[in-house]
Amino acid sequence: MNFKDTLLNGNEGLFKPASLTPMQKLALRFVVTGILFYGLTALEGMIMRVYQVKPIPTFNSEHYFSLLTAHPLVGIFGSSYSIVFGAFLFLVPFFMKKPLWSIKMGNWTFILVAGGTFVFWFSDFLTHFAPLYTLYWPLPADFTQFNPLSGSFFILGIAIVMVGTLLFVFNIFKTITYTPEGYEKVPGCAMLASATGFSWKESIFRRKSKRRENLVSLPVAAVARGTVDTLLNALIITFTGVLILVYMIAAVMGFNLEHSAIDALLYKNWFWWGLDLIADGLVLIFVAGTWYILATMISGKELYMARIARLALWVELVVSWTVWSHHLLSDQAQPGYLKVVSGELVTAFELITQGLAFFITLITLWSARPLKMTNPLKFLLGGLLGFGLAVPAGIIQADIGLNRILHNTQWIVGPHVHVAILVGLTMTLYSAIYLLLPILTNGAKLYSQKLANFHFWAHLTGGIGMGAFMGMAGLKGMLRRTIYYEGEYRIYMILAGICGALLFLAFLAFLYNIIMTVGIKGVFGIFTPAESDTKELLPENK
Amino acid sequence: MVNSELVLNGQTYAYTIYAIVVILFILGFAYQVTKPGKAGVLKTSLFVVLVVCLTVLGVSLHITTSKTIPWVPMDLNRADIKPDKVFNITVVKHQFQLPSDKLEMKKGDIVVFDVTSNDLTYGFGIFRQNKTMVCQMQVVPGHKNDLMWKFEESGTYTIRSTEYSGPEGHQMILKDVVIVNE
């Protein structure tokens, strides 16, 4: 096939969108949209990297901080949520061997998450509403700096994403507990207890001979436990959004509500409790669950210490509800006992739970030795390395003594946040995408292995390098969320910028490779209605 | 003499060594897992040792820093420590309002920076001439924000906000306003 044919029809014309089931289309829609939002996040990141090297005169600070507000939110909701939701709406029915409860609801989740992300991004792009994702009270309601109307559209976009998220949560739990027509009746409550971990005593304290089998498999349990945090987080963000919206609508109508009616420290505790359900909850639980799924699918072996892995997921869930105070170690009014217990000690548990997931995954892979170094395997190892680097970096900053000299520096956002998300999470998601690509596309063949190799190395070195140079600048006192005009940390920012450019090139190589694999017609075909109305995951002949 | 610069240098070395070890470990694993050979089964006892090691590692960091970093016990017990000087600072509309043009103290004095915000959440950080951070805290409106500190070195220091408070916040810098005399 010549270049033009491949570009239009995909590699060897193997991808036929007409052959896809509604479920395959649903999963692919999420993945393609998630990849495109990742591209937008990466582009915004590159603009900010350039700005950190030398502020661009035509690009004022309002514009810069509006980018800084949109960048993580598009990355989390538009990209990571989309890819994860798409994968799990497909994998939960796959592992439970029954159809998704509602494909229609799945499609609504897709529309709301993608549409909501676009609304808040576009509102930010046009109006430069910039309270950052932290929204520290009363900044989002400070109408001397921000227009309440533009803020309302921003919050509306977030609210739309949250509605989509709640539909995802409902669909997942309903899929776990319902009995499809013609299937043997399943005990819904017991399934739910097994999935969320409320039957944990059963598997720990009962004798092995008397122990009953878990009703749901480990991958489904991982998804369910992460989804509990997804639910709680969506409720907190929705509540916070409504609170902010009340102030905004009042201001639009000419009333100025008192900021002091809300206690800024209580709000900060409440908001971080909810926000940490993403950072220290669903991300870590979903990632651990995805590692287990990938390790068993790549190795073809049972998961090593599956019972311990299941318990660790439950511990991670409980830990995620109690770690928020590590974000308030530099708040002097925060009670000392919360700083020590929640901020330091409980947070240190993440080293244990994530360390267990790390080793269980490696040992499972090792048990199938020798393995071929496939794309899913190499990206999985990259993801493991990412968290191997980022989790201890987080434990270091979650220390009362060290936080005093690290809080809000580039250390936090470099070696911890960016390495965790870009190397740890994103490479894990790439591993899943490379693994699921032939399954979701009914056998499409990857266009270029050389491009996949470049994608891997450029992403890995770019991600670790960027985090490292940001961290070095942070240790020299460079703050995050600020602008330096006198070239104070320029050498570090140039090096971080080069690594950022590598990351961006890696993304372009991946995007080009995927487009050439499925073709432009194939990409558009994913978004057209499916020809069959089967509830099955895969076509009957597969 | 333990100051924040020394702690940061120590952290740089420790984390760099750790990062190199983890990267080499994964590279080694990636190489070995593709080689032919029988995979040994890891004993449960070794797995338990791993859990204990992770626990010790996580907790020992905090125990070590609480015993070696001098500002940790001072911070946690600051209500019971009598300071040599207290500087009352107000922040409003992205401006620090100091009690005097310069905040002067002697090296070794225990001082308190008591910062009140009248509107937004800000940060309060003290920086050396070489831009490295001495210390910082959050400044939350409606609450007491008091940072107790003992300067171990004489010199001139800069105050700047360490928290984002809107697009104007990054210009909240007061150069060379903290003077620590011998």
Side-chain angles (χ1 to χ4, degrees):
Chain A
M1 285 178 84
N2 61 29
F3 173 80
K4 192 179 159 192
D5 280 346
T6 309
L7 181 65
L8 282 176
N9 301 309
N11 192 22
E12 299 175 18
L14 288 173
F15 180 55
K16 309 272 185 223
S19 70
L20 298 176
T21 64
M23 274 306 300
Q24 285 175 310
K25 285 210 172 196
L26 174 64
L28 284 169
R29 281 169 196 160
F30 272 111
V31 172
V32 169
T33 310
I35 290 170
L36 292 176
F37 274 127
Y38 175 84
L40 178 62
T41 315
L43 183 64
E44 288 177 334
M46 267 322 289
I47 294 170
M48 288 190 288
R49 290 256 67 87
V50 171
Y51 207 85
Q52 287 289 333
V53 173
K54 195 172 191 312
I56 306 162
T58 52
F59 195 68
N60 62 24
S61 60
E62 281 83 2
H63 203 158
Y64 176 81
F65 287 114
S66 69
L67 265 184
L68 197 60
T69 298
H71 173 73
L73 293 170
V74 174
I76 292 167
F77 296 133
S79 180
S80 301
Y81 264 40
S82 285
I83 296 173
V84 166
F85 286 4
F88 290 160
L89 285 173
F90 186 85
L91 286 173
V92 168
F94 179 81
F95 284 110
M96 298 205 76
K97 297 181 177 61
K98 62 180 176 179
L100 185 72
W101 182 69
S102 170
I103 297 175
K104 195 175 176 183
M105 189 177 275
N107 275 309
W108 270 109
T109 301
F110 162 72
I111 291 165
L112 291 169
V113 171
T117 303
F118 180 77
V119 168
F120 75 68
W121 174 83
F122 194 59
S123 151
D124 215 22
F125 179 76
L126 287 182
T127 67
H128 300 172
F129 180 68
L132 300 194
Y133 71 94
T134 40
L135 297 165
Y136 285 154
W137 190 260
L139 187 58
D142 179 9
F143 305 125
T144 59
Q145 295 193 79
F146 306 121
N147 183 314
L149 197 60
S150 66
S152 302
F153 279 104
F154 180 86
I155 297 291
L156 178 71
I158 300 283
I160 293 170
V161 174
M162 289 304 113
V163 173
T165 304
L166 291 171
L167 293 184
F168 163 80
V169 171
F170 189 78
N171 215 355
I172 287 289
F173 284 125
K174 199 71 189 162
T175 302
I176 291 170
T177 54
Y178 91 120
T179 305
E181 218 175 288
Y183 281 62
E184 194 181 333
K185 175 78 182 157
V186 296
C189 289
M191 298 286 279
L192 194 63
S194 172
T196 52
F198 282 96
S199 57
W200 62 278
K201 281 183 285 187
E202 176 78 23
S203 58
I204 297 301
F205 294 122
R206 280 209 175 189
R207 279 186 191 171
K208 204 172 179 180
S209 56
K210 291 186 176 177
R211 210 177 283 154
R212 281 178 289 190
E213 209 175 311
N214 282 295
L215 290 171
V216 301
S217 63
L218 182 59
V220 175
V223 174
R225 286 163 210 195
T227 306
V228 171
D229 273 357
T230 311
L231 169 66
L232 294 171
N233 170 264
L235 294 175
I236 300 280
I237 292 184
T238 305
F239 180 87
T240 310
V242 169
L243 176 74
I244 295 170
L245 212 51
V246 167
Y247 275 76
M248 287 171 173
I249 291 169
V252 169
M253 294 171 74
F255 300 102
N256 278 319
L257 301 180
E258 276 293 329
H259 290 161
S260 57
I262 310 295
D263 185 295
L265 186 65
L266 184 65
Y267 171 97
K268 205 172 178 183
N269 272 279
W270 158 265
F271 192 64
W272 270 121
W273 186 80
L275 223 56
D276 244 18
L277 296 174
I278 296 183
D280 295 82
L282 65 99
V283 167
L284 297 186
I285 298 170
F286 279 158
V287 162
T290 309
W291 286 350
Y292 299 152
I293 293 169
L294 291 168
T296 48
M297 287 177 84
I298 291 169
S299 66
K301 299 272 183 178
E302 291 281 312
L303 193 74
Y304 177 75
M305 288 272 181
R307 204 162 61 89
I308 298 292
R310 194 181 281 264
L311 176 70
L313 286 170
W314 187 81
V315 173
E316 182 67 65
L317 180 62
V318 177
V319 165
S320 73
W321 299 337
T322 46
V323 289
W324 83 97
S325 217
H326 60 228
H327 292 280
L328 290 106
L329 293 178
S330 288
D331 287 76
Q332 298 302 84
Q334 182 76 348
Y337 73 91
L338 276 178
K339 288 185 180 182
V340 174
V341 178
S342 158
E344 286 190 331
L345 297 178
V346 182
T347 304
F349 253 90
E350 291 188 346
L351 196 67
I352 302 165
T353 51
Q354 208 63 7
L356 285 180
F358 183 92
F359 282 103
I360 287 171
T361 307
L362 286 181
I363 295 165
T364 305
L365 292 171
W366 187 257
S367 67
R369 187 173 175 239
L371 287 170
K372 194 171 173 236
M373 190 52 71
T374 56
N375 291 327
L377 178 57
K378 68 172 80 148
F379 275 93
L380 173 59
L381 292 175
L384 287 160
L385 175 58
F387 279 99
L389 292 169
V391 171
I395 302 297
I396 286 172
Q397 72 211 29
D399 176 87
I400 292 174
L402 294 170
N403 193 267
R404 182 66 67 211
I405 47 178
L406 289 175
H407 188 76
N408 268 349
T409 64
Q410 292 274 334
W411 168 272
I412 310 294
V413 76
H416 179 54
V417 176
H418 276 91
V419 172
I421 291 177
L422 285 174
V423 185
L425 173 65
T426 307
M427 292 192 89
T428 301
L429 294 178
Y430 279 136
S431 171
I433 290 171
Y434 279 112
L435 188 76
L436 292 176
L437 186 75
I439 300 169
L440 287 174
T441 58
N442 298 330
K445 190 178 161 196
L446 193 67
Y447 172 68
S448 165
Q449 184 52 41
K450 280 184 182 166
L451 278 174
N453 289 342
F454 174 77
H455 175 214
F456 172 77
W457 286 110
H459 190 97
L460 185 71
T461 51
I464 293 177
M466 194 173 89
F469 292 121
M470 288 168 80
M472 287 176 202
L475 293 170
K476 297 287 179 195
M478 185 180 183
L479 297 170
R480 66 194 289 206
R481 300 169 181 162
T482 193
I483 302 169
Y484 289 91
Y485 292 99
E486 295 168 11
E488 290 95 326
Y489 300 95
R490 187 163 288 155
I491 187 67
Y492 295 107
M493 291 301 103
I494 289 172
L495 293 168
I498 292 169
C499 293
L502 255 183
L503 272 169
F504 195 61
L505 286 174
F507 168 72
L508 292 179
F510 170 71
L511 187 67
Y512 178 72
N513 208 7
I514 292 295
I515 289 174
M516 294 300 277
T517 299
V518 299
I520 288 174
K521 281 184 185 171
V523 173
F524 284 106
I526 289 165
F527 292 91
T528 58
E531 289 185 7
S532 73
D533 61 353
T534 175
K535 289 191 103 183
E536 295 300 319
L537 294 177
L538 302 172
E540 281 177 17
N541 57 349
K542 289 282 165 185
Chain B
M1 188 171 65
V2 177
N3 67 13
S4 55
E5 204 162 22
L6 183 70
V7 173
L8 286 171
N9 284 335
Q11 187 195 325
T12 307
Y13 291 123
Y15 186 75
T16 304
I17 292 167
Y18 168 78
I20 291 169
V21 168
V22 173
I23 290 169
L24 289 176
F25 173 74
I26 289 288
L27 282 174
F29 181 90
Y31 177 74
Q32 290 293 337
V33 83
T34 56
K35 293 278 157 205
K38 202 180 169 192
V41 179
L42 193 74
K43 287 180 183 167
T44 311
S45 55
L46 281 175
F47 192 75
V48 173
V49 170
L50 171 72
V51 175
V52 172
C53 285
L54 287 169
T55 311
V56 170
L57 199 67
V59 176
S60 63
L61 169 77
H62 302 313
I63 293 171
T64 307
T65 57
S66 69
K67 299 291 178 196
T68 56
I69 296 179
W71 57 84
V72 177
M74 191 165 69
D75 187 42
L76 291 173
N77 303 308
R78 65 188 182 282
D80 305 323
I81 301 171
K82 191 173 181 318
D84 297 304
K85 269 192 174 180
V86 177
F87 299 104
N88 291 302
I89 299 166
T90 305
V91 202
V92 65
K93 293 184 178 170
H94 299 99
Q95 299 284 333
F96 286 110
Q97 294 171 354
L98 304 185
S100 54
D101 288 347
K102 305 281 181 188
L103 308 181
E104 293 200 46
M105 67 209 74
K106 281 186 201 158
K107 187 175 95 173
D109 275 356
I110 292 178
V111 296
V112 167
F113 300 95
D114 195 337
V115 189
T116 304
S117 166
N118 286 343
D119 45 22
L120 302 166
T121 295
Y122 298 99
F124 175 84
I126 299 173
F127 293 80
R128 297 181 185 84
Q129 294 292 307
N130 65 5
K131 316 285 183 193
T132 56
M133 187 194 280
V134 177
C135 58
Q136 59 74 43
M137 70 168 161
Q138 294 276 288
V139 180
V140 181
H143 287 272
K144 189 171 177 63
N145 312 288
D146 56 334
L147 175 62
M148 183 174 271
W149 201 257
K150 184 177 169 184
F151 285 86
E152 303 282 4
E153 288 167 351
S154 58
T156 306
Y157 299 85
T158 291
I159 290 174
R160 76 180 292 165
S161 174
T162 52
E163 183 54 84
Y164 176 75
S165 53
E168 290 175 40
H170 70 284
Q171 292 167 340
M172 293 174 67
I173 305 168
L174 296 178
K175 277 193 176 169
D176 305 337
V177 292
V178 177
I179 314 284
V180 181
N181 299 306
E182 270 298 332

